[in-house]
Amino acid sequence: MDEPRLATSTLDRITPGVPVATRPPDATVGIVHLGIGAFHRAHQAVFTEEAMAAEGVGRWGICGVTQRSRAVVDQLGPQDGLYGVLERSDRGVSVRVVGSVLEVVSATEQPELVRSRIADPAVGVVTLTVTEKGYRRDPAGRLDLHDEAVQADVAGAAAPVTAIGRLVRGLQRRRVESRAPLTVVSCDNLVANGAVVRALVADFCGALPGAEGEPLWDWLTSSVSFPSSMVDRIVPATTDDDREQARRLLGVRDDGLVVAEPFRQWVIENDFAAPVPAWHRVGATLTADVAPYEAVKLRLLNATHSLLAYTGALAGYATIAEAVRDETLAGAAASLMAEDALPTLRRPDDLDLQDYQRSVLERFANPALRHRTTQVAMDGSMKLPVRLLGTVRDRLRAGAEPRWAALAVAAWMVYVARERDAAGRPLPLDDPLADRLRVAAAGPDSGLVERMLGVEEVFDSELRDSTVFRALLADGVEELLVTR
C-alpha cells in the first residue's frame, strides 16, 4: 500500500504535537497569488493563515497560480492545498502544516480561471512573487514591448504568458463585471516594487488600443492600489533529505514541503484600496514609507548574499553557511555592509543597523539551512543592478571607493567566465542573459572587465565610464583569478 500522503483525509494521522492548519468551514478565496513557489508558501501564505486565525475569518484563502511549470499543482492538488513548512535552525528542526492555500491553478492550462479569479469581487488582494526577470522589463525599467511574449499578451493571446499580461487581463474583466476595488502587492526584490508594477500595468494599458486601454487605466487609477512591500525569509530549495525528515516528523508524506529559517519579515506600504488580511496583527509592519526598509534589506542582506554566493561558489563551497565559515569571505561580507552599504542608507526608526548587520551573518551561518551558493547565484544579471550597483553608484558619487561591492561584481564576472570552481567542478549559469553573458566573458582574462562592462542590460554609462569602478573591478578579478 502506498504511504499516506498529507491531505485533509489524513490529518488524523499527523504526529501529535505538530501544529496543523484548521480551515474554517466557510473558507473562501480572497487572495490570488501569481507565482506560487516555495517562497510564497513559506512567507506570505504563513502570514495570511495566521492573520485569518487572528481575525477568526476564512475569507482570505489563497488561489495560487503557477506561472510556468505545473509541478506545484501536482504537489498540492492531491494534498488539498496543504503542505508543511520545515523550519531549520542551529537549535533544531520543527514542522507545521499550513492550510491557507485553497486552490492551485496552472495559468497555462486554465487561463480563464485565472482571469475569473482576479475578476471575482470576493477577491480583495493580488500578490506576486515572479522574480525580477518575471516582470519583463527593458533596460530602462519599462515594460519590454519588444518581448515576444509581451507582444502576444498585448495582442490578446487566449492564454497570457507574462505575469503583467495575466494581471491586466484579469483586471480588465474585473472592471467590466464588478468594478470592485483591489490591492496589488508585489513581494519581489525590486526597488519600489509597487510603483514598478503600477508603471508596468500602465505601459501595458498604453500599448492597448485607445478604446480598450484608456478606460481601463482610468478605472485602475481610482480603484486599484499598488503598495510597495519588502519581504525577508531565507527559503532554500527543498531536498529529498528534507522530505524524509518531514515525513518522520509528520507521520505522512508531504510532496509540497518547503524549508525555511525561523526568521521572517514583511513590511508593507499602508496603501490599500479595500480591506486586506490583518497581517499587522501577526508580525507584519505597516508603514507610510517602505523605501528605508527595502534599501536596508537589498543593500545589506541581499548584496552580502550575492557576494558570498559568487566568491563561495568559486572557492568550492556548496552552501552559504560553508562560505561564511571562511574567515576571508566573512570579512569581505562584513566590510561590504559596514564600509560600502551602510553610508548609503537611511535608518528606519525601528531598526538597529548594527544589530541588523550581525544578524545577517548569523542567519547566513545557519548550517541547518544548506542554502546552495549556486541557487543564490542565479539570475545575476537581474540581481546585481538591484542589490549592488546602486551602492556602487552612490559611493562613487560621494567620492569613495566601493571596494567590497566591486569585489562582489568582479566575482560574478569570474563566475560567468570560468564556469568551474576551484576544484574543477562545473558552475551552472542560470540567467535570462546566459548566452549574452557567455559571449561577453569569452576571451583573455585581461579584457574580462571591459567586455562585461559592455553588457548594457546590467551596466549603465555612468558605471562603464568610471575609471575608479573599472580599476576596482580589475583588482577584484585579478585577486579572484590568483586565489582560485
Side-chain angles (χ1 to χ4, degrees):
M1 178 180 293
D2 289 341
E3 182 180 25
R5 183 172 177 176
L6 178 61
T8 53
S9 62
T10 61
L11 287 179
D12 60 342
R13 303 193 186 196
I14 297 294
T15 303
V18 171
V20 177
T22 56
R23 288 176 178 155
D26 62 343
T28 56
V29 171
I31 298 174
V32 172
H33 181 79
L34 302 180
I36 183 168
F39 185 82
H40 170 72
R41 303 200 312 270
H43 189 275
Q44 300 101 54
V46 175
F47 274 99
T48 298
E49 176 172 273
E50 293 178 356
M52 285 195 288
E55 289 184 280
V57 300
R59 63 166 292 195
W60 296 114
I62 298 168
C63 169
V65 179
T66 65
Q67 294 290 98
R68 296 181 302 275
S69 168
R70 62 168 287 118
V72 181
V73 177
D74 295 336
Q75 291 169 352
L76 296 189
Q79 298 187 178
D80 304 315
L82 299 173
Y83 62 92
V85 177
L86 189 74
E87 289 191 0
R88 289 187 173 278
S89 73
D90 54 5
R91 294 181 296 277
V93 180
S94 63
V95 69
R96 64 183 290 182
V97 176
V98 176
S100 54
V101 176
L102 302 185
E103 181 179 53
V104 185
V105 177
S106 167
T108 57
E109 297 174 15
Q110 300 169 287
E112 279 298 308
L113 182 54
V114 174
R115 271 192 284 263
S116 67
R117 284 288 180 264
I118 295 174
D120 185 350
V123 168
V125 181
V126 173
T127 51
L128 302 91
T129 49
V130 298
T131 74
E132 295 93 334
K133 63 185 175 184
Y135 290 93
R136 309 267 181 159
R137 298 195 293 168
D138 65 19
R142 306 304 297 266
L143 187 65
D144 188 355
L145 297 175
H146 297 291
D147 184 289
E148 291 182 359
V150 172
Q151 290 177 345
D153 287 355
V154 169
V161 175
T162 68
I164 297 299
R166 288 165 179 152
L167 174 62
V168 173
R169 292 306 183 184
L171 292 171
Q172 201 168 24
R173 178 172 295 183
R174 189 180 185 95
R175 172 185 170 271
V176 171
E177 294 182 355
S178 74
R179 303 181 72 87
L182 185 74
T183 299
V184 178
V185 185
S186 171
C187 301
D188 283 298
N189 286 325
L190 297 169
V191 175
N193 52 20
V196 166
V197 175
R198 188 179 191 275
L200 295 176
V201 169
D203 289 343
F204 194 103
C205 292
L208 296 172
E212 186 180 0
E214 291 174 9
L216 174 59
W217 181 245
D218 288 344
W219 171 73
L220 287 169
T221 58
S222 64
S223 301
V224 180
S225 66
F226 297 86
S228 290
S229 80
M230 185 279 283
V231 297
D232 190 6
R233 193 174 203 186
I234 297 174
V235 182
T238 305
T239 67
D240 288 340
D241 287 345
D242 295 326
R243 294 186 185 92
E244 175 57 25
Q245 185 164 33
R247 184 196 63 77
R248 293 195 299 270
L249 292 171
L250 288 169
V252 295
R253 188 175 101 241
D254 178 9
D255 290 347
L257 182 76
V258 295
V259 181
E261 64 172 335
F263 179 92
R264 54 188 165 103
Q265 183 184 24
W266 196 3
V267 181
I268 314 168
E269 183 182 2
N270 194 358
D271 177 24
F272 307 123
V276 299
W279 292 314
H280 64 287
R281 293 178 57 182
V282 293
T285 299
L286 302 186
T287 179
D289 187 6
V290 173
Y293 297 90
E294 176 184 78
V296 166
K297 194 245 182 171
L298 289 171
R299 296 191 176 196
L300 294 180
L301 185 139
N302 291 132
T304 305
H305 222 187
S306 289
L307 169 67
L308 291 168
Y310 295 118
T311 57
L314 287 169
Y317 297 124
T319 68
I320 295 293
E322 291 173 2
V324 174
R325 288 198 292 272
D326 183 310
E327 291 185 1
T328 299
L329 300 189
S335 296
L336 167 60
M337 289 190 285
E339 297 178 23
D340 290 350
L342 193 63
T344 72
L345 298 174
R346 175 162 54 97
R347 183 181 69 83
D349 292 339
D350 57 348
L351 279 185
D352 181 324
L353 293 186
Q354 299 303 319
D355 284 345
Y356 188 93
Q357 291 174 80
R358 285 190 290 272
S359 73
V360 165
L361 295 182
E362 289 172 1
R363 290 167 62 194
F364 288 165
N366 180 353
L369 278 181
R370 300 197 294 270
H371 204 180
R372 292 180 292 109
T373 51
T374 53
Q375 181 188 1
V376 181
M378 291 170 57
D379 301 333
S381 67
M382 302 284 109
K383 292 176 178 176
L384 262 63
V386 176
R387 299 181 174 193
L388 285 156
L389 298 187
T391 293
V392 170
R393 200 174 288 109
D394 286 350
R395 295 302 285 151
L396 290 173
R397 290 173 181 172
E401 295 189 358
R403 173 188 172 192
W404 305 103
L407 177 64
V409 178
W412 170 72
M413 291 179 171
V414 175
Y415 182 99
V416 172
R418 281 293 173 266
E419 298 185 329
R420 292 188 177 276
D421 67 13
R425 294 180 291 253
L427 295 172
L429 181 58
D430 190 340
D431 193 289
L433 297 182
D435 293 340
R436 171 92 170 83
L437 297 175
R438 288 191 181 97
V439 170
D445 293 341
S446 59
L448 177 61
V449 170
E450 292 296 330
R451 294 193 304 274
M452 294 297 284
L453 282 174
V455 181
E456 295 180 355
E457 295 90 337
V458 179
F459 302 102
D460 61 16
S461 59
E462 180 181 359
L463 294 177
R464 285 196 301 274
D465 295 342
S466 170
T467 56
V468 172
F469 185 44
R470 192 182 300 114
L472 290 170
L473 288 173
D475 289 346
V477 166
E478 182 178 6
E479 176 184 345
L480 290 163
L481 289 175
V482 168
T483 56
R484 286 189 70 250

